């Protein structure tokens, strides 16, 4: 009785690979895993590739990785949430990463974060409900000489203040550029 | 197996070469407080309550993951250690919500017992009072994250004794949480075998049988040791 129950539960959870048979990105990801011989300790590299391909890691994708590497889902989730680098939700159209490393912090990065949080109405690590803007923080991006450093859509920018960062983000959000 | 001779609290003892300081001390009835250590499960040194002083190193070392060595001189109970242990306990109380009077584990809680043994009559740190969720989706068990001290015992029994890998620690720092599978409600987990070993392992009132009310949650730790001995030594000691 119990055995039947457990079985039907498993069957209900279709492997995402068959659901997404048409999506080429899954095949690219699989090739990447093959390159690592489906080794379980390649999990981080595989998640990197997955995020590069899909932009973020959703449950289907993490389940797929878990199944292919024969790992329990909880391990994949644990690793994906431990590193700030991985996103579990889609990133906004524009993104801003404020460095909160020691040098940047001393030069006032916390004030930049506070100003942006207040303006966008979200906490660092989140995306606005309209999907337009994501705010994140990082630990020392290796640009201490130009502290406080902020990365706007992938471009490292020197010596930011609450004013300069607000101007930048307002430009994105209010003029749709 | 080669034996090592060492001194713990002034007492000369001999221990097997790959024993930990904790095992050697316990074999000789020298008490060292622990919280994340669970007999039969791999140690991770997460709680730091078992810190001891070892002559020749300025650092305090966790007894549960430090191996014995020839000629080692260990102190398990100094003023400095008592101060740190008390501080660690206070920090644990301040981090989440532990109102003992309404907890299912009241009277059977390892955290509470340690606090009493260490004369912790108040907490010097500001309580964080996080609002954490309560997962009652499993048909047999419940989990109250407010009581969790992140010792990871449940994770380790789930991985190494049951082998299901259902639970894991997610996130980092103060935002860490115990999760099931991909953070879905426990009741929807596809890997949980409902064996209850995690419930047996929990030192606080974080994991409990559904239906247990204040002070009712008693655990049977011997069951875990029974299984481990049976698996490893093929001995069923009832
Ligand atoms: S639920 Fe209990 S056993 Fe698991 S980490 Fe929290 S306190 Fe430890
Ligand atoms: S601290 Fe910001 S770049 Fe190093
Ligand atoms: S028992 Fe040694 S660190 Fe927790």
């Amino acid at each position: 009785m119990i055995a039947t129950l457990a079985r039907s539960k498993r069957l209900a959870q279709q492997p995402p690979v068959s659901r997404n048979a048409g999506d080429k990105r899954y095949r690219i990801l699989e090739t990447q895993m093959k390159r690592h011989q489906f080794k379980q300790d390649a999990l981080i590299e595989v998640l990197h590739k997955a995020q590069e391909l899909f932009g973020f890691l959703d449950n289907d994708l993490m389940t797929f990785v878990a199944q292919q590497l024969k790992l329990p889902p909880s391990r994949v989730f644990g690793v994906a949430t431990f590193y700030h680098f991985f996103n579990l939700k889609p990133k906004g159209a524009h993104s801003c990463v404020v460095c909160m490393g020691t040098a940047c912090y001393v030069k006032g990065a916390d004030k930049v974060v506070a100003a942006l949080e207040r303006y966008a109405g979200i906490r660092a690590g989140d995306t606005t409900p309209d999907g337009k803007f994501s705010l994140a923080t990082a630990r020392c991006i290796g640009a201490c000489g130009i502290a406080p450093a902020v990365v706007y859509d992938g471009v490292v920018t020197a010596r930011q203040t609450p004013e300069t960062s607000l101007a930048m983000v307002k430009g994105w959000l209010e003029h749709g550029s | 197996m080669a034996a090592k001779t060492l001194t713990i609290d002034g007492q000369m003892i001999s221990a097997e070469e790959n024993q930990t300081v904790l095992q050697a001390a316990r074999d000789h009835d020298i008490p060292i407080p622990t919280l994340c250590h669970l007999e039969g499960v791999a140690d991770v040194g997460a709680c730091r309550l078992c810190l001891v002083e070892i002559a020749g190193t300025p650092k305090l070392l966790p007894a549960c993951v430090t191996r014995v060595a020839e000629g080692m001189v260990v102190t398990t109970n100094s003023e400095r250690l008592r101060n740190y242990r008390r501080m660690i306990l206070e920090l644990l109380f301040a981090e989440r919500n532990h109102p003992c009077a309404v907890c299912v584990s009241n009277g059977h809680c390892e955290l509470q017992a340690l606090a009493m043994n260490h004369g912790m009559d108040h907490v010097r740190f500001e309580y964080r009072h996080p609002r954490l969720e309560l997962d009652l989706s499993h048909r047999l068990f419940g989990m109250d994250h407010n009581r969790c001290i992140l010792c990871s015992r449940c994770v380790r029994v789930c991985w190494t004794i049951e082998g299901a890998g259902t639970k894991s620690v997610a996130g980092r720092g103060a935002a860490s949480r115990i999760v099931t599978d991909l953070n879905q409600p426990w009741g929807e987990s596809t890997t949980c075998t409902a064996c209850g070993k995690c419930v047996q392992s929990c030192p606080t009132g974080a994991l409990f049988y559904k239906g247990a009310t204040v002070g009712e949650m008693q655990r049977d730790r011997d069951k875990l040791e029974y299984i481990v001995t049976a698996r490893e030594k093929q001995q069923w000691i009832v």
Side-chain angles (χ1 to χ4, degrees):
Chain A
M1 162 70 198
I2 288 171
T4 0
L5 238 173
R7 190 103 174 275
S8 57
K9 220 160 141 197
R10 287 231 169 277
L11 287 182
Q13 203 205 20
Q14 280 285 318
V17 66
S18 62
R19 253 186 284 150
N20 297 292
D23 192 333
K24 237 172 71 194
R25 293 174 297 180
Y26 276 96
R27 257 187 291 134
I28 303 177
L29 186 57
E30 219 176 341
T31 317
Q32 177 80 3
M33 292 193 245
K34 215 171 269 160
R35 205 168 292 150
H36 289 286
Q37 288 132 18
F38 294 93
K39 280 217 200 83
Q40 298 184 329
D41 52 19
L43 175 59
I44 294 181
E45 284 92 330
V46 171
L47 288 179
H48 266 271
K49 188 73 188 179
Q51 177 155 308
E52 184 193 313
L53 288 165
F54 292 81
F56 68 105
L57 308 168
D58 68 5
N59 282 3
D60 277 356
L61 192 51
M62 285 189 282
T63 307
F64 177 69
V65 170
Q67 287 177 339
Q68 297 296 307
L69 299 184
K70 301 195 171 70
L71 280 169
S74 72
R75 165 63 57 86
V76 178
F77 189 83
V79 169
T81 52
F82 183 79
Y83 295 102
H84 288 308
F85 174 82
F86 297 120
N87 303 310
L88 268 53
K89 287 189 221 121
K91 281 231 276 182
H94 292 288
S95 75
C96 164
V97 184
V98 183
C99 177
M100 285 280 264
T102 312
C104 293
Y105 187 86
V106 169
K107 294 276 193 165
D110 55 328
K111 295 190 188 73
V112 175
V113 173
L116 291 174
E117 284 184 336
R118 215 172 316 117
Y119 169 68
I122 52 170
R123 304 293 305 267
D126 284 341
T127 300
T128 51
D130 61 6
K132 275 196 184 156
F133 172 62
S134 310
L135 177 63
T137 56
R139 291 264 172 263
C140 190
I141 56 169
C144 306
I146 55 164
V150 177
V151 190
Y152 298 104
D153 281 344
V155 184
V156 182
T157 314
R159 283 174 282 274
Q160 291 302 288
T161 61
E163 292 72 40
T164 56
S165 62
L166 276 180
M168 184 73 188
V169 172
K170 276 185 182 163
W172 286 338
L173 296 191
E174 285 164 27
H175 313 297
S177 58
Chain B
M1 196 172 293
K4 303 269 173 199
T5 326
L6 66 156
T7 313
I8 304 185
D9 292 343
Q11 190 180 332
M12 279 277 263
I13 65 171
S14 91
E16 281 166 27
E17 103 187 293
N18 49 23
Q19 274 192 313
T20 62
V21 172
L22 179 66
Q23 286 167 329
R26 292 208 165 157
D27 281 354
H28 292 81
D29 294 320
I30 302 168
I32 299 179
T34 58
L35 205 43
C36 67
H37 170 79
L38 186 64
E39 219 47 65
V41 187
D43 282 302
V44 288
C47 74
R48 316 312 274 181
L49 227 68
C50 68
L51 288 177
V52 293
E53 291 172 359
I54 293 178
T57 33
K59 283 192 286 183
L60 301 174
L61 294 171
C64 67
V65 289
T66 305
R67 305 252 162 236
V68 295
E70 188 61 38
M72 207 178 219
V73 179
V74 184
T75 308
T76 71
N77 201 355
S78 64
E79 187 60 35
R80 172 158 80 132
L81 288 172
R82 278 195 298 276
N83 279 338
Y84 277 127
R85 286 180 188 144
R86 190 179 146 165
M87 191 188 290
I88 292 168
L89 289 167
E90 286 178 42
L91 287 166
L92 286 174
F93 273 89
E95 189 165 26
R96 293 202 178 172
N97 307 304
H98 297 275
C100 300
V102 294
C103 178
V104 288
S105 283
N106 191 10
H108 315 286
C109 172
E110 292 182 35
L111 181 64
Q112 186 184 40
L114 282 164
M116 291 201 278
N117 289 342
H118 286 78
M120 195 198 94
D121 43 16
H122 67 290
V123 170
R124 287 164 289 176
F125 307 103
E126 202 180 315
Y127 285 96
R128 290 183 64 243
H129 293 305
R131 281 173 168 271
L132 301 177
E133 49 305 352
L134 182 68
D135 185 345
L136 292 174
S137 58
H138 196 280
R139 80 195 144 89
L140 300 174
F141 319 125
M143 166 137 202
D144 184 351
H145 292 271
N146 292 289
R147 310 275 191 269
C148 176
I149 53 166
L150 294 168
C151 65
S152 81
R153 282 187 187 185
C154 52
V155 174
R156 286 173 285 144
V157 286
C158 187
W159 281 76
T160 60
I161 305 192
E162 176 62 4
T166 301
K167 288 189 183 285
S168 186
V169 183
R172 60 157 73 198
S176 300
R177 290 283 181 285
I178 299 295
V179 295
T180 37
D181 291 355
L182 295 175
N183 197 24
Q184 64 258 66
W186 195 355
E188 286 165 28
S189 163
T190 45
T191 59
C192 178
T193 62
C195 72
K197 292 186 182 67
C198 52
V199 181
Q200 292 297 355
S201 74
C202 181
T204 69
L207 289 165
F208 51 87
Y209 293 123
K210 271 191 167 172
T213 133
V214 178
E216 279 185 0
M217 196 50 221
Q218 294 199 46
R219 302 172 206 267
D220 190 0
R221 227 70 96 195
D222 295 347
K223 279 267 153 46
L224 293 175
E225 266 187 82
Y226 168 76
I227 301 178
V228 175
T229 322
R231 292 242 171 103
E232 288 175 357
K233 304 200 181 124
Q234 302 292 301
Q235 290 172 353
W236 287 264
I237 306 169
V238 192

